[in-house]
Structures are given as structure tokens and as C-alpha cells.
Amino acid sequence: MALSGMRGLSVFISDVRNCQNKDQERLRVDKELGNIRTRFKNEKGLSPYEKKKYVWKMLYIFMLGYDVDFGHMEAVSLISAPKYPEKQVGYIVTSCLLNENHDFLRLAINTVRNDIIGRNETFQCLALTMVGNIGGRDFAESLAPDVQKLLISSSCRPLVRKKAALCLLRLFRKNPDVVNVDGWVDRMAQLLDERDLGVLTSSMSLLVALVSNNHEAYWSCLPKCVKTLERLARNQDIPQEYTYYGIPSPWLQVKTMRALQYFPTIEDPNTRRSLFEVLQRILMGTDVVKNVNKNNASHAVLFEALALVMHLDAEKEMMSQCVALLGKFIAVREPNIRYLGLENMTRMLLVTDVQDIIKRHQAQIITSLKDPDISIRRRALDLLYGMCDITNAKDIVEELLQYLSTAEFAMREELSLKAAILAEKFAPDLSWYVDVILQLIDKAGDFVSDDIWFRVVQFVTNNEDLQPYAAAKAREYLDKPAIHETMVKVSAYLLGEFGHLLARRPGCSPKELFSIIHEKLPTVLSSTIPILLSTYAKILMHTQPPDPELQNQIWGIFNKYESCIDAEIQQRAVEYHALSRKGASLMDILAEMPKFPERQSALIKKAEDTEVDTAEQSAIKLRAQQQMSSALVVTDQRPANGTPSGIQLSLVKVPSMSINEDQNMAEQGLSHENGILSKVDPQTPSADLLGDLLGPLAIEGPPGTDVQSQQNIVSGLENVPNTVEAAAIVPVEEQTNSVQIGIKAEWRAHQGRVVLFLGNKNTSPLVSVHAIILPPSHLKIELSLVPDTIPPRAQVQCPLEVVNLRPSRDVAVLDFSYKFGNNMVNAKLRLPAVLNKFLHPISVSGDEFFPQWRSLSGPPLKLQEVVRGVRPMPLLDMANLFNSFRLMVSPGLDPNPNNLVASTTYYSESTRPMLCLIRIETDPADRTQLRMTVASGDPTLTFELKEFIKEQLVSIPTALRSPMAATPAPPIPQPTSPAAALTDPGAMLAGLL
Amino acid sequence: MIHFVLLISRQGKVRLTKWYSPYTQKERTKVLRELSGVILTRGPKLCNFVEWRGYKVVYKRYASLYFCMCIDEEDNELEILEIIHHYVEILDRYFGSVCELDLIFNFHKAYYILDELLIAGELQESSKKTVARLIAAQDSLVEAAKEQRSSISNIIAQATK
């Protein structure tokens, strides 16, 4: 029976099938579309049969992937046909042709509603099916109550009610705010007593959506779920037609166990006991049988049971039983079971105390890494990554490296990132780490992101013992005939810095090093050349006594690149050339890079970020299940191995940069941002850029007690007063970092928009989350609603609106509390809404400055104070500091070179923008004291600003800023230039010269 | 939940698509292209799951046809695999040993049947018997309307003779 029953349709389908190629097919389709279009135009002549036929043809064409931009109206109009055959076609075609966002659907709402509330149950079914498949907000608004009525109506037959249940599920998932389910607990409980298993299956799906949204309300359904599961698992009273290969509806069993996983625990001991009995029965009673379908069905149930056992945190015995089962599964031949075994074992890693048992299966898992099936290899890779620790890192990473050479492209990137992270996290010794990374670059250079080699450079720079070893290794790789660009970069960098440590070894004289590196120059991209030039400059500097021949050679190269079109290369060539003629000063400037400040690995951070991303995704998914559009976004995935942003590069180019400079930079980036904010929508990419810029500043508190972490936060804030923007603060659960709070802020005039990121790093939800802002009287802060629960591994964002009313140095405090297990955790965190956020730098000329200065005479508008105990710093640093606080320094305004004059505008709601003028007089003989004069049109402002600046001058962290003295040059205060310019060593050197 | 159902022939021809999440036509085409590339090239002895863009696609080949369903990462894969088989069995029962041609020329029937099985990307009915009964009832409704129509046209024809 291969005929559609509609001759015209069959003929058309045959025609399309007979087309030899895509072009012919398109011609045939276009012809048909033209035909349909004309027929629809003269609609009068169309019989219902013809209309049906053409609408089906349209659907067929649409299904093949062609655009059909007409005829939607005809399809929709069939819905209102009085007869079943037309109506049926109308409903089905409409639900395939249109999606929930389509305007045409609105036209149909009335008809659909009439069908739903009408008496004809076949019409009811059609309408419920369509709404269940594509119903959007409009449908939810006008139909939800009717659908609810049908679901619980005693006069409706099961065939209508099961459709009503799923239709309601859809409406609720998409628009939980529209569908009113208050008081549905009892109804749901009633539905779970349903005898008809079709209705019960649909209702169970509905329950899953409802409990995932609000499990607390549905406690009373829990025992019923357990009862249902018992009934199914024991095969009591299950009609034959609801068994599938002898198994009582495996789907309903799975659904029921899914619903149970949304309840955090089961308190009632009896319910718990009977549930565990059932689970035990499933775990032990599932055998492998010959029939594939029976096997699949029983294992679907088994794996769901495993998930439920894990969720319920069962007794140790049962857990080890689970691990034993999984251990069996990962060794079977059947690929599906092996895949699921690996997948679930990865989930199992989150359960405490079983890691050691899982480790016993390491060899088996490594075999799966060589499986012909990429899906299985992916699972194996994830599992190995998850189970890796200090004891097995060497083995696992070496396996990964070995696999890297044969792995397909789709996996190499992930593989190399994971190998790099594991090597860093669990390196038994650092030389092994260097080996691993260099091998990684050698084998899969294309997939090694810059982060990876930046990190190895940081390690080597910070560990003197490692330097000769790393340099020697780099030298070895250079002997290879063809090496990857990244290898050129890293070895050139390492040899430039540490090559001189090898001087006595064969083949490592400066000349030899130079020539072997220089050999690579013709093959590299222009982005690598600057690194090579730095290396040459360093080699030159290390060649003592100078070798005139080498010098001439290198000068020749600098000379050649002095006219290079690439500005970076040109600048370096010019500067190095000039520097290298200066003799002694070269030594200072090109001296070895100082140690990097200890910071979180960009890699690990990236890995965590992607985890957060995925957590966010799943949180979104979770929400989507409850509400809206679960459509996946079909865009190209951003490669994890993204192009390096300027800031990352700068970490290596200017390793001397201390954290503080980072902050300044970020700050300046920010003020820059602020400068143009008036035109910029806060949602523009520049805001994201800002986020990226601030990213590295996230400060994570070390594990400790709450009190400690709070101190951390506070000291964090005090130490780095101008970074508060990005203070990511971590109140800490005993031993584990459970919560991460981050901040992103934008400031504009007297207003600010701050977004708090509350991240739950646990695998269980955080409950009873409360966040209250205790604003000081001068700030008006509105915190949007903070959800009561943060789902596991998810992040929620809470926007805050800040309005500055009056000048004050008081700081707003976030009072944050949540419940973890049975403990209430509370933390008070200072928010970065400080005085200088409401400043806007303004440059003032001498003509403007002096009359103002004079007109504001004496207290209280003008205040003067001698400040002692100032941290001594060069004037230039102080100017930077001021600029970073958005107090714009006007150089040269004060004739005395030891003085500094700055101006800014202050914004608050109650006053007009106020000009503030500041003068600092320093004493070159004693840098620990200075005289400060602050003037503005408002006495309070003058006082507060003076105190604010004083605090900053006195409390600057010595430890962090001191390396500055040793660095080539401080960053140049140019608030208006892009932050990137500051990271450029060339620019810095230019400043020095 | 199931985000979409695809039936693709071994040659990459689309035999049926059903989308439970909103996708534009452009996105649909892209999804089809990508997934046929991934799934049709997989060997016979591999597992039935493919990880794709943060989702999972569960697929099974029946003769020359691949049945694919896209689900969320945390969903139960085997359960979906058996929904596919359940659907195939119902088609088989309806068409009497179903083949690809049946589905090509009766793609609308395949839609009707799918609608009795899934709504909103969730399983609606797990009894083959019930689904068969409902589909038969629909067919007879259509037949009845046809007969009625022809009898009316007979009457009109007679009257206007």
C-alpha cells in the first residue's frame, strides 16, 4: 500500500523522487509552488479535497527544506472547516508549517478554543495536539484554564485527558507565569491515582515539569510516585498492552524515577524504605537478555534507578553496588551500555567515597579511549579527566598525549586543553609539566591555545630551578625540521630569557642560539616576529663580552624591520635598535623578567568558566523545561581555543605588570568606557569586553571558615581600593568553595548599574538564598529579586540599580545568606559603589583652573591637610593613581614640578555636576608626607573627597606595588587611550626614553 | 524532552521532520545538514548516541531509514531509543510490514501516528493497541466523510439530471 490516497500528491512525490539531481528537483518544486499559488489565488474554485491536497504538497515541499512563504493562511483556515478530514489536515499542517512565534497562529486562537471547549472529542484531540506541539504565549493566556478543566474533568475520556496533560505541560513549560497552577497539588495527587496508564504517563511528565519548578509544593505527590513505581516494578495489575517486551511500561518507570529526583530527600522512613527496596530490586534484578529491545528497555530503567540512587545518597553498600554494576557495564561489548556506563561513572565521581573504586577501572577506561566510536571516546575522555588526581595524573596524561597523535580533529582541541589542565593541576614535578606542554605543542600545535604556552612561560619564569631545563628542552625542539609556530614562540621566548643559562653546553652559544632561532623567522607569521625580535635583543644583551659580528647581524635585522608595515614589529625594531646602542641601560631594561604574581591559571579558569557556562546552560535548560523556548541556538560554536585577547597576550609581553597595573588598566578601560557611555547601550559588546578585562581580577577566597573568608574580602577591598569593580568574593563552605559571587558594574554620572553573579559551585542546589543590600543613606539601591534557590552548578544574575544621592564615603553592604545542608551561612560583603564611581574626569586648562581655585576660598569649601604616613611613590605613579580614580591630573598646571593638580566632576542626584579641584604638594626630601588641598562647591563633598583621597594614599598595598620600581616603566596615564596601549612594552619603553 | 524527530534515508533524503522546539526554516536546514553528516557516516557497530551541540541525538537505523530524536543531555537515552522502536512497531502494524516507500507516499499518515505517540516532545501513549485503535478511528471518520460527500454529490447529480 504505497499510495497516499491522493493521486495528485502521489504523482508529485514520484516526480520529486525521480529527479536526477538537486537542480531538477528545485525546478519541479518551483513549478509546483507556482501551481499551488495560482490555485490558492482563485480560491473560489477549490474543493475541500483540492485544498487538502495542495496543503499537503506545501508541507511536503517545506519538509524537504524549501521555503514556502505563502499558503499559511490556507492551512490555518482549514482548521475552521466544519468536517473532520479538512480540520485534521489543517491542524497537522499548521503545526508543522508554523512555529510558536508565528503571527498567523493568533488568527486561529478562537477556532482552537471553540474546538477545545466544544463537545466533539475528536476535535478536542486535534486542537490539544496542535497547542501541545506549538502553543506559545497567546495560547497559554487564552487556553490554559480550559485545558486544565479538561484534564481533571470526570466526563472526559482518557484519550482527551492524556493530550490535555501534555498540552498543559507545554503551556506551563513555556510560560509558567501565565499558567496558574496554584492549588494544583491536590489535582496532581489525584491524577497520580489514575487507572489509565496513558493518562498516568502524560500526567507524570506534567508532574516532572511542575516539581522541577517548585518541588516543595508537591511533597504530597512523593509517596504516590513511590507507589506507582512499586506497582510497575512488581508488575502488579498492569494491563498486558502496557508492557513492553514483558516490562511494565519502562517509560513510565523512568518518568516516575525522574520526578523523584527533583525532591531533595525523602524524609518519611517508610516511603524511603519501600523506595530503596524497589531500587534494590531493579539494580539486582536486571539481567542481560538476548532481545535487544527488552535489554534496552530494562537498562533504561536500570540507569534511571542508578541516577536516583546517586541522588538519594544511599548507603555506602548500595553505592558500591552501583559502582560495581557500572564497572561491569564499561567492559561489555554492547556499545550503548558501555557508553552509558562511562557516562554514569562520570556522574558517579561526584559522589563521595567511590573515587577509589572507580580508579580500579582505569585500565578499562583507557581502552575505551581507543574505541572506534567517537561518542564512547568522548565519554572516556571526560571520565579520565574527572577521575584524574595526583596519584594517577602521570599515567592519564601520558595516555592522553599518546592518543592525541591519532585522535581525529574534532577531539584534539578538547583533548589538548584537558591534558594541559591536568598536567598543571596535578604535576608531580614541574619539569614533567614542561615536558608535557612542549609535547602537546609539538603534537597538536594548532589546538594549543595561547593560554597554554603563556602558562608554561609563567611557571618557568617563577621557578628558577626549572629555567635551565626548560631552555634546554626548547633548544632540543628547535632542532626538529618542521616545528609548529607556537613552538617557535615558546622556545624563542624561553631561549631569549634563559638561553644564557645554557651558554656552556654545545650548540648553545649566543650565536648558535640566534642562528637556529633566526632560521625560523622566514616561516612564521607577523604576529610571531615581535617575539623573535625581543629574543634577539635579549641574546644581544646577554652576549658578554659583545660579539661584534652577532651585533651587526642583529642590528641588520632591526634595521630591516624598522620600516616594516606592521606597527608592532616596526616599533620594536626601532626601539631595540636604539636601546642596544645605549650600552649599559640596555642591561637594565632587558634584564630578566620579574616573577609573575601568583594568579589563577587562565586555563583552569577557562575550564571553570566553560563549566559555569554549561551550568548556566543547564540552568537555562531547567528554566526552559519550566517555561520558554528550549530551542537550541544554531550558531557556530565558539571554539574553546579562542583567539587570544589583548589582555592575555599582555601577560606575557609585559610580565612585569603587577596586579595593580592590571587594575589600573581595567580601571582606565572603565573610565574610557564611561567616557563614551552616553552613547553606548550597556548591552553592547564593549560591556562584555569590560567583563573580559575584569575577568582576571576575580579574587577567589581560599578555603577556610566563613569568618576568614570575610576577612579576605574586606582586606581584598582595602588592599585594592580601585579594583572593587571586579572583586569576586567567595564565602566559603567548610573545605569546599560552594559559592562564588562576582560583580560587573557600569557607572554613568550619578547612576550605576551593577550585576551580581551568584554562582553555586555545588552539585546540590543552594536553598533559602537571601540577599539584602544595606545601603548607606547616601545611596539608593534597588536589588532585583534574588531567587530563593540556586540550582546546582548554576549562576544567577541579579541586577542592581544604584543612585548616588549625596557625597559620602560609606560603603553599601550586601548581606548574603543561604542554607547549605543544615547550616545557615551568612556573609556580609562590601559593594564596590564607592565615591569615585560617581566622578567623571575633566580636563581643565590654566585659565579655567585658577579663577575657580581662587573663588573657592577657605573652609569649608576648600580644605587643606598635611597627610603623613603616605606610602612613598614617584610622582608619576601618584598621577597614575589619581587618574585611575578618575581624578584627572593636569600636568604642568602647577609650576612646581613636585606638585600635582587634578580635577574631576562629581555627580549626584541632589546637585548639579560639581567641579572638584585637587592640589597635592609633595616634598621631594620626604615622600611620606604631602600637603593636600581639595576644593569644591559643596562643603560635604570637599570633606568626603579629601578623606577618600587620603585613605587611598595611605593604604596602598606596598607588596603589590613595589615591583614597579624594578620594572622598565610604569604605565603611562592615558585614560583616553585604549587599555591595550598600556600593555605594549614598546609604548612603555618609549615613555622611558 | 524531545526537541525534534527526523527520518532521514541513507542517501540523506528527508522523509519526515517534526519539531517540538521553535526553529526557523534556516535553522532546520542547518540541523538536517549537520546531523545527516554526522549520523549517516557512522559505522554499524557503534552506539546509538551522538553528542551534538550540547544535546544528544539518539538514532537507529531500520533498513534504509534512520530515525533520529534529539534530546537534552541529561535525558535517558535508552528510553528514547525504545520510543523510536515503539514508533516503528506501530508503523509496522499500521502499514503491515512498513517500508520506506510507505512512509514516502504516506508521510501524512506518519505524522498522524506520531501525533498519537508524542506531544510536546513527551511520550503520550505507550500502548500500541490504543494508538492503533485511535488511528483506525480517525481513518474511519475520514472515510465516512468521503462516503457522505459522494452520496451528497450523487444526490446533487441526480437532482440536476
Side-chain angles (χ1 to χ4, degrees):
Chain A
M1 62 165 294
L3 280 179
S4 67
M6 267 180 265
R7 202 170 157 273
L9 181 60
S10 300
V11 169
F12 172 61
I13 293 174
S14 308
D15 282 0
V16 171
R17 268 171 56 76
N18 290 335
C19 291
Q20 299 292 324
N21 53 41
K22 204 81 194 150
D23 291 337
Q24 274 185 17
E25 185 184 297
R26 172 163 277 286
L27 273 176
R28 181 65 187 89
V29 165
D30 283 344
K31 187 179 146 205
E32 194 62 39
L33 284 176
N35 179 26
I36 300 172
R37 199 191 294 259
T38 22
R39 295 311 284 274
F40 279 159
K41 263 190 195 146
N42 325 316
E43 201 180 332
K44 265 177 263 158
L46 280 187
S47 70
Y49 169 79
E50 284 173 308
K51 218 171 174 183
K52 252 168 60 182
K53 184 178 74 183
Y54 291 125
V55 170
W56 276 125
K57 281 185 184 172
M58 265 170 46
L59 177 60
Y60 189 75
I61 292 170
F62 186 69
M63 204 176 77
L64 292 179
Y66 294 95
D67 273 323
V68 177
D69 49 6
F70 67 94
H72 297 162
M73 193 61 207
E74 278 74 13
V76 173
S77 71
L78 277 177
I79 291 178
S80 43
K83 294 242 168 52
Y84 182 79
E86 285 80 41
K87 201 183 257 301
Q88 183 195 31
V89 175
Y91 270 120
I92 292 218
V93 175
T94 304
S95 66
C96 293
L97 224 46
L98 307 183
N99 70 33
E100 66 187 42
N101 308 316
H102 215 287
D103 283 339
F104 268 126
L105 279 180
R106 286 212 193 104
L107 302 175
I109 288 188
N110 260 332
T111 325
V112 174
R113 174 148 198 269
N114 286 334
D115 283 341
I116 285 181
I117 58 177
R119 289 286 171 80
N120 186 328
E121 69 176 12
T122 51
F123 289 4
Q124 284 176 328
C125 286
L126 288 175
L128 289 171
T129 305
M130 186 188 83
V131 177
N133 285 338
I134 58 165
R137 193 169 188 90
D138 296 332
F139 282 93
E141 277 166 0
S142 47
L143 298 179
D146 299 320
V147 176
Q148 284 170 316
K149 252 182 238 155
L150 287 186
L151 175 57
I152 53 170
S153 150
S154 53
S155 57
C156 277
R157 288 209 293 160
L159 83 153
V160 177
R161 293 175 57 218
K162 68 187 182 192
K163 290 188 162 70
L166 290 180
C167 181
L168 187 62
L169 159 64
R170 158 109 188 179
L171 298 179
F172 178 75
R173 230 185 227 166
K174 296 261 167 180
N175 300 291
D177 52 323
V178 174
V179 180
N180 182 4
V181 288
D182 299 344
W184 260 71
V185 188
D186 299 339
R187 304 266 154 78
M188 254 349 279
Q190 242 172 344
L191 281 171
L192 295 181
D193 291 333
E194 175 63 47
R195 301 298 303 163
D196 182 280
L197 286 188
V199 178
L200 189 56
T201 305
S202 300
S203 305
M204 198 57 86
S205 296
L206 178 61
L207 178 68
V208 170
L210 293 172
V211 288
S212 70
N213 191 41
N214 176 8
H215 64 82
E216 272 164 26
Y218 292 89
W219 274 114
S220 57
C221 295
L222 198 153
K224 300 216 168 183
C225 291
V226 175
K227 280 230 168 62
T228 309
L229 189 63
E230 266 187 303
R231 181 181 149 204
L232 289 164
R234 293 178 198 275
N235 201 352
Q236 290 166 339
D237 186 21
I238 307 293
Q240 174 63 30
E241 56 179 305
Y242 282 97
T243 56
Y244 181 81
Y245 290 89
I247 300 164
S249 180
W251 299 289
L252 184 52
Q253 295 198 45
V254 167
K255 272 274 176 279
T256 312
M257 287 191 269
R258 198 36 77 102
L260 286 169
Q261 286 170 58
Y262 282 98
F263 294 102
T265 57
I266 296 176
E267 271 152 21
D268 176 48
N270 288 331
T271 316
R272 195 177 162 92
R273 195 175 335 108
S274 28
L275 178 59
F276 274 114
E277 272 171 32
V278 178
L279 291 173
Q280 185 71 40
R281 201 186 165 89
I282 297 173
L283 290 187
M284 297 318 291
T286 308
D287 299 318
V288 178
V289 292
K290 252 199 170 151
N291 182 296
V292 182
N293 301 102
K294 181 168 185 171
N295 226 7
N296 283 344
S298 63
H299 282 81
V301 173
L302 176 58
F303 278 111
E304 204 61 45
L306 276 170
L308 184 54
V309 170
M310 278 188 249
H311 169 79
L312 290 174
D313 230 355
E315 296 79 32
K316 197 156 183 215
E317 198 185 323
M318 203 161 184
M319 285 292 185
S320 15
Q321 216 174 5
C322 291
V323 184
L325 262 178
L326 290 174
K328 214 171 78 191
F329 290 157
I330 62 170
V332 298
R333 282 210 6 236
E334 217 282 294
N336 287 340
I337 303 295
R338 200 159 69 239
Y339 174 94
L340 293 170
L342 291 166
E343 179 178 48
N344 283 284
M345 211 177 240
T346 312
R347 287 183 188 151
M348 199 92 196
L349 284 172
L350 301 170
V351 178
T352 42
D353 299 340
V354 297
Q355 281 87 345
D356 285 334
I357 319 181
I358 292 179
K359 272 196 222 158
R360 288 185 215 144
H361 300 285
Q362 188 169 318
Q364 184 60 46
I365 301 167
I366 287 175
T367 335
S368 285
L369 195 60
K370 293 159 190 156
D371 196 273
D373 188 345
I374 187 171
S375 299
I376 290 177
R377 288 196 302 267
R378 280 228 166 89
R379 287 300 108 231
L381 174 59
D382 260 17
L383 178 52
L384 284 174
Y385 179 70
M387 64 191 274
C388 190
D389 63 17
I390 194 111
T391 62
N392 56 11
K394 237 175 164 159
D395 294 339
I396 290 183
V397 171
E398 266 147 35
E399 281 297 335
L400 296 187
L401 281 176
Q402 206 188 352
Y403 172 43
L404 192 59
S405 335
T406 52
E408 58 272 80
F409 284 103
M411 275 189 75
R412 286 197 184 177
E413 179 175 334
E414 197 187 347
L415 197 56
S416 47
L417 184 67
K418 289 197 158 147
I421 292 173
L422 293 180
E424 176 178 340
K425 255 184 168 168
F426 303 116
D429 59 87
L430 286 169
S431 54
W432 177 79
Y433 169 73
V434 171
D435 282 347
V436 169
I437 302 296
L438 291 181
Q439 273 188 60
L440 206 57
I441 297 174
D442 187 41
K443 286 186 169 168
D446 282 341
F447 301 94
V448 175
S449 64
D450 282 345
D451 297 331
I452 296 179
W453 81 264
F454 290 178
R455 191 66 183 159
V456 87
V457 163
Q458 286 180 13
F459 264 113
V460 175
T461 309
N462 289 6
N463 293 283
E464 268 167 47
D465 308 343
L466 200 55
Q467 290 163 359
Y469 179 80
K473 274 276 161 188
R475 174 70 188 76
E476 274 173 35
Y477 275 104
L478 283 179
D479 279 335
K480 286 195 156 196
I483 59 172
H484 192 268
E485 178 113 9
T486 306
M487 187 62 90
V488 177
K489 288 184 192 170
V490 69
S491 34
Y493 188 99
L494 289 176
L495 288 173
E497 286 291 311
F498 312 113
H500 61 281
L501 301 175
L502 305 178
R504 304 237 168 106
R505 304 192 192 187
C508 295
S509 70
K511 223 175 183 166
E512 282 162 313
L513 286 184
F514 165 75
S515 65
I516 194 156
I517 294 171
H518 191 53
E519 254 172 41
K520 315 289 177 198
L521 188 129
T523 62
V524 299
L525 297 173
S526 60
S527 56
T528 305
I529 295 178
I531 297 175
L532 296 188
L533 294 183
S534 304
T535 303
Y536 299 161
K538 295 228 170 190
I539 290 178
L540 199 55
M541 182 267 299
H542 282 302
T543 316
Q544 296 304 342
D547 173 346
E549 194 190 333
L550 181 63
Q551 196 172 43
N552 283 334
Q553 233 177 332
I554 292 179
W555 278 354
I557 296 164
F558 288 156
N559 215 347
K560 177 177 151 207
Y561 282 106
E562 273 172 9
S563 51
C564 178
I565 193 159
D566 183 308
E568 177 67 40
I569 299 176
Q570 187 188 81
Q571 190 170 10
R572 288 203 193 199
V574 170
E575 283 163 5
Y576 290 150
H577 199 180
L579 270 173
S580 57
R581 286 170 190 277
K582 288 205 179 258
S585 64
L586 176 74
M587 297 290 268
D588 291 341
I589 294 157
L590 292 181
E592 224 162 79
M593 290 292 194
K595 288 188 177 177
F596 287 86
E598 266 319 311
R599 63 178 94 211
Q600 193 192 7
S601 160
L603 278 186
I604 292 175
K605 190 175 160 346
K606 195 155 117 185
E608 280 173 7
D609 282 355
T610 39
E611 269 171 41
V612 170
D613 279 356
T614 44
E616 249 172 319
Q617 264 173 19
S618 59
I620 291 166
K621 259 190 227 158
L622 197 87
R623 243 174 289 141
Q625 277 171 5
Q626 301 150 4
Q627 44 171 313
M628 266 294 300
S629 165
S630 41
L632 81 214
V633 186
V634 188
T635 49
D636 287 316
Q637 268 176 335
R638 185 170 51 102
N641 184 1
T643 46
S645 71
I647 192 111
Q648 286 167 327
L649 253 175
S650 73
L651 296 183
V652 166
K653 278 212 276 189
V654 196
S656 59
M657 214 166 30
S658 69
I659 284 186
N660 256 16
E661 285 170 273
D662 261 8
Q663 290 154 2
N664 284 342
M665 225 166 51
E667 186 72 22
Q668 278 163 0
L670 197 84
S671 49
H672 175 58
E673 171 81 7
N674 259 21
I676 50 168
L677 238 161
S678 48
K679 285 171 255 153
V680 178
D681 183 275
Q683 303 292 319
T684 54
S686 58
D688 283 336
L689 176 77
L690 193 66
D692 286 349
L693 271 174
L694 295 174
L697 295 178
I699 303 160
E700 241 188 70
T705 64
D706 278 337
V707 187
Q708 276 175 345
S709 67
Q710 207 173 322
Q711 282 166 348
N712 263 329
I713 296 144
V714 174
S715 63
L717 291 189
E718 279 170 2
N719 280 346
V720 282
N722 52 341
T723 6
V724 270
E725 316 272 337
I729 320 153
V730 194
V732 183
E733 200 51 44
E734 314 247 76
Q735 302 298 322
T736 55
N737 290 350
S738 61
V739 176
Q740 186 173 35
I741 305 182
I743 272 184
K744 198 160 160 181
E746 280 173 67
W747 305 95
R748 177 181 170 185
H750 64 281
Q751 292 169 326
R753 177 173 305 173
V754 180
V755 184
L756 284 177
F757 298 87
L758 308 174
N760 177 5
K761 303 174 81 181
N762 292 299
T763 49
S764 53
L766 286 187
V767 293
S768 308
V769 177
H770 288 286
I772 306 160
I773 303 266
L774 313 169
S777 60
H778 73 287
L779 293 177
K780 197 165 81 189
I781 299 188
E782 277 174 32
L783 175 62
S784 64
L785 213 60
V786 177
D788 187 53
T789 310
I790 304 179
R793 303 194 81 67
Q795 194 184 51
V796 295
Q797 303 186 1
C798 310
L800 293 172
E801 300 286 339
V802 183
V803 178
N804 182 31
L805 305 173
R806 284 181 302 281
S808 164
R809 283 167 297 131
D810 289 347
V811 177
V813 172
L814 169 70
D815 187 347
F816 180 72
S817 61
Y818 59 92
K819 207 165 163 185
F820 186 81
N822 292 322
N823 307 330
M824 271 315 275
V825 183
N826 178 282
K828 293 197 171 51
L829 315 169
R830 298 168 63 183
L831 282 181
V834 283
L835 182 76
N836 73 316
K837 302 296 180 228
F838 307 106
L839 298 177
H840 192 82
I842 182 171
S843 105
V844 181
S845 69
D847 294 347
E848 295 159 328
F849 187 90
F850 293 110
Q852 277 289 339
W853 186 254
R854 273 189 292 268
S855 73
L856 300 165
S857 58
L861 294 182
K862 191 193 244 170
L863 296 172
Q864 194 169 71
E865 186 179 337
V866 174
V867 185
R868 289 177 215 286
V870 175
R871 208 198 77 65
M873 64 177 108
L875 207 59
L876 197 52
D877 281 6
M878 195 181 290
N880 286 338
L881 189 64
F882 273 65
N883 279 318
S884 73
F885 292 140
R886 306 183 192 177
L887 306 168
M888 192 178 215
V889 175
S890 309
L893 215 58
D894 197 306
N896 185 339
N898 289 315
N899 294 355
L900 193 144
V901 168
S903 49
T904 190
T905 335
Y906 174 80
Y907 287 87
S908 70
E909 200 183 50
S910 56
T911 56
R912 63 196 156 75
M914 293 261 218
L915 183 68
C916 311
L917 304 171
I918 301 110
R919 183 177 186 219
I920 305 287
E921 294 158 277
T922 62
D923 177 0
D926 180 3
R927 292 222 164 266
T928 63
Q929 60 172 352
L930 51 78
R931 187 163 71 174
M932 169 164 67
T933 318
V934 177
S936 82
D938 178 89
T940 331
L941 175 58
T942 307
F943 177 77
E944 292 290 333
L945 185 60
K946 186 196 76 179
E947 291 300 309
F948 176 80
I949 298 173
K950 197 167 85 185
E951 282 170 12
Q952 308 311 323
L953 288 175
V954 175
S955 69
I956 288 164
T958 337
L960 284 173
R961 267 197 104 76
S962 52
M964 296 273 295
T967 64
I972 300 142
Q974 281 174 331
T976 47
S977 72
L982 288 168
T983 70
D984 187 301
M988 296 173 67
L989 291 171
L992 189 82
L993 295 169
Chain B
M1 89 174 256
I2 300 167
H3 293 280
F4 54 78
V5 177
L6 308 177
L7 267 64
I8 311 173
S9 80
R10 215 166 40 139
Q11 289 79 30
K13 297 258 191 240
V14 183
R15 297 305 181 208
L16 185 110
T17 61
K18 182 82 182 174
W19 310 83
Y20 296 101
S21 294
Y23 298 87
T24 64
Q25 179 76 340
K26 215 170 151 188
E27 288 165 342
R28 292 177 181 189
T29 317
K30 195 169 171 191
V31 168
L32 275 165
R33 201 176 45 230
E34 272 186 32
L35 282 180
S36 11
V38 174
I39 291 171
L40 301 184
T41 51
R42 279 174 66 84
K45 288 200 178 137
L46 308 183
C47 70
N48 294 90
F49 321 126
V50 168
E51 294 171 17
W52 173 79
R53 293 185 180 279
Y55 293 85
K56 278 192 179 149
V57 179
V58 177
Y59 73 95
K60 186 152 187 189
R61 182 177 165 179
Y62 290 89
S64 55
L65 258 191
Y66 286 84
F67 288 68
C68 319
M69 294 189 180
C70 172
I71 53 170
D72 290 316
E73 229 170 6
E74 63 277 4
D75 286 347
N76 189 317
E77 296 90 343
L78 287 176
E79 176 203 22
I80 303 297
L81 194 58
E82 290 317 290
I83 290 185
I84 292 180
H85 187 71
H86 186 50
Y87 181 42
V88 173
E89 284 188 341
I90 293 172
L91 290 172
D92 204 51
R93 184 184 282 208
Y94 181 80
F95 287 103
S97 172
V98 66
C99 67
E100 193 183 341
L101 273 185
D102 290 325
L103 297 182
I104 295 172
F105 284 101
N106 295 286
F107 72 100
H108 53 308
K109 293 272 168 61
Y111 272 119
Y112 294 146
I113 297 173
L114 189 59
D115 270 355
E116 286 303 325
L117 198 67
L118 299 177
I119 291 184
E122 301 285 349
L123 184 71
Q124 178 197 171
E125 182 55 75
S126 57
S127 153
K128 286 193 271 281
K129 214 161 112 192
T130 310
V131 174
R133 210 178 55 230
L134 292 173
I135 295 291
Q138 286 177 15
D139 282 351
S140 64
L141 270 175
V142 175
E143 279 309 311
K146 217 190 262 172
E147 276 164 25
Q148 199 188 2
R149 194 181 300 129
S150 54
S151 67
I152 290 175
S153 52
N154 281 345
I155 294 167
I156 295 172
Q158 299 233 311
T160 52
K161 212 178 234 175

